[in-house]
């Protein structure tokens, strides 16, 4: 005789898990929410005051950074990684975030791990003043190995139609201003894990390789993907910027090309900033070719602002006021046909 | 020396996969879309004509129905399952869908399987007149076994504030009208797979057990989760309904209780309709207790409409006009304290 539980799904532990996350979700609630938690859908009122309100949305995961969290048994910040990644993706379009939904899937639901993960999602939402309006928690035995899980999320934001940033304003001569990343963010983890744990010298998660200057491999690889919402909004509201690129999979050039179209091209001076040591650590640990480093990792620059030369000084000053350390890393020019 | 490819991520096959799905995505585009595919976020203009527009969103997966698709090597409808599940979840709140985003994660990206899955997502979107506005495709070696994948999605819809259906209108005496499901929809697959493939008689995906009347196990388990948007909108626009429940994990009573709150309660007459044979097949294959059947599966009723008795005849007539076969399956009464 087979019950649902014997088949591998434990609804009681699912209920216990849901009751654990309820206070975290409640803490994210803001004015725009309508209705109640537990309904089939999440409700959010479209804000007033827009002439042509455009919704901007993005879905993302955190890649195999989840594997590092599992290896390190540290689950409380992976949710922030997710939220910040998603928020950056819509912020670079000129949007401000409205609300968030998460998807958590595991082989078996460990209420402690689950609470830890969702508390991070909620913290990330709260930091951006947006409610966690919906979520799906899936217990899927034999799809995920014991202890493993995947995490994805969707953010929905809003922008006035005339304020959309989609690359169409980018012009010859625009300067690329880079803002520092906090580490690997959420990309390149398959290569980073390969280099760290399967390289010539297979490190453990708690090792402190000399290049990491006293920090463990786990600490370095779990550095939280930072949010750029504050500096992005500051540049947008001051009208100083032509476009932004969020540096994720594909690296600095790959992502900046998403807002620079032919006949324009761009060049990046990789010697313009000091590459954080975690990237040197990865490159040396597995002898990764420089081209793969550039196409895979942010290399210390997590956001690129494309600014016309006339605004450069004001943009840099404004960014400094936001506590940023902006670096001029390249420029936009006409595509060379020679 | 380790390249990103040697570490397990093949960006070229990812690019090939993306170019394969581009025409499917393009086929879903509708009027509300702004901007272009490939931007960091997806853009959609808030429709005009609402006094207090409320966004209604839902995120969901398809559970281990993906494992059945993999076992059957039939990937072209699992995306429709996902879209229809999500659309039903916001439709029961009174909302009409605006746009969709998907999340696809696999160990290694098989461009053929990926195109097949996303073509189903796109077909489901197109059937509802909504664009597939964003998506994340993650290649995550060692999180997913070779050949395996997970699929989740988010729908965003809209409803006029005064037309929200959240259970608050439900009243004593309301009649529960059930609409037929097309099969298991997307819930209970861990138990269904256990019963089918690990029960006393371990069936193969192509077996035709007598109870399934000439259909294979795979055909039955992969029946597409149907959309109820048409009958739901018809009842909403005629103003005949107090609430809806989408019957997913938790069964008929578990889900209908989400819109029936104390001091009201409900009763369901399980003998009021003929249970589709796939449920008898599962129950017998693994001797599943009746209570687990009721708490896990839709048992042939995928949507419940809660209708005041005075509207019952008109609601049934309207549903019949929509091509539905409505069944009166129970009612709302005061919670008995005896």
């Amino acid at each position: 005789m087979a019950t649902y539980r014997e088949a591998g799904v434990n609804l009681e532990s699912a209920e216990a898990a849901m009751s654990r996350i309820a206070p975290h979700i409640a803490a994210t609630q803001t004015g725009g929410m309508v209705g109640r938690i537990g309904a089939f859908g999440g409700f959010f009122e479209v804000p007033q005051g827009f002439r042509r309100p455009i919704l901007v949305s993005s879905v993302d995961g955190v890649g195999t950074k989840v594997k590092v969290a599992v290896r390190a048994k540290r689950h409380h910040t992976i949710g922030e990684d997710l939220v910040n990644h998603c928020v950056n993706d819509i912020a670079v379009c000129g949007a401000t975030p409205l609300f968030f939904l998460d998807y958590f899937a595991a082989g078996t639901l460990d209420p402690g791990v689950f609470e830890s993960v969702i508390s991070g999602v909620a913290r990330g939402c709260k930091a951006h003043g947006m409610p966690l309006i919906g979520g799906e928690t899936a217990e899927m035995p034999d799809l995920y190995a014991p202890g493993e899980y995947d995490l994805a999320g969707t953010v929905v934001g809003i922008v006035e139609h005339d304020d959309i940033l989609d690359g169409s304003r980018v012009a010859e001569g625009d300067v690329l201003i880079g803002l520092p990343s906090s580490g690997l963010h959420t990309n390149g983890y398959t290569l980073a894990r390969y280099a760290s744990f399967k390289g010539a010298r297979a490190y453990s998660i708690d090792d402190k390789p000399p290049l990491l200057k006293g920090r463990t491999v786990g600490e370095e690889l779990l550095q939280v993907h930072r949010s750029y919402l504050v500096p992005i909004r500051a540049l947008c509201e001051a009208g100083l910027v032509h476009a932004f690129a969020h540096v994720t999979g594909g690296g600095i050039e790959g992502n900046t090309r998403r807002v620079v179209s032919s006949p324009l091209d761009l060049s990046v001076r990789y010697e313009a900033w000091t590459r954080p040591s975690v990237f040197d650590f990865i490159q040396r640990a597995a002898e990764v070719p420089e081209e793969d480093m550039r196409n895979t990792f942010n290399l210390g620059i997590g956001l690129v602002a494309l600014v016309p030369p006339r605004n450069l000084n004001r943009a840099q000053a404004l960014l400094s006021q936001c506590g940023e350390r902006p670096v001029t890393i390249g420029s936009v020019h006409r595509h060379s046909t020679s």
Side-chain angles (χ1 to χ4, degrees), chain A residues 198-230:
Chain A
K198 296 171 192 166
R201 160 95 167 80
Y203 294 98
S204 85
I205 194 86
D206 295 319
D207 278 348
K208 297 181 177 175
L211 262 174
L212 296 186
K213 298 164 186 164
R215 295 166 62 87
T216 69
V217 172
E219 282 166 354
E220 201 64 74
L221 295 187
L222 288 177
Q223 273 297 306
V224 177
H225 190 147
R226 58 165 297 207
S227 166
Y228 294 100
L229 185 64
V230 169

Side-chain angles (χ1 to χ4, degrees), chain A residues 284-304:
Chain A
R284 291 192 201 169
E287 297 178 58
V288 183
E290 177 65 13
E291 192 190 343
D292 278 69
M293 292 298 295
R294 292 183 181 185
N295 292 337
T296 308
F297 296 110
N298 67 57
L299 300 179
I301 302 295
L303 185 89
V304 178

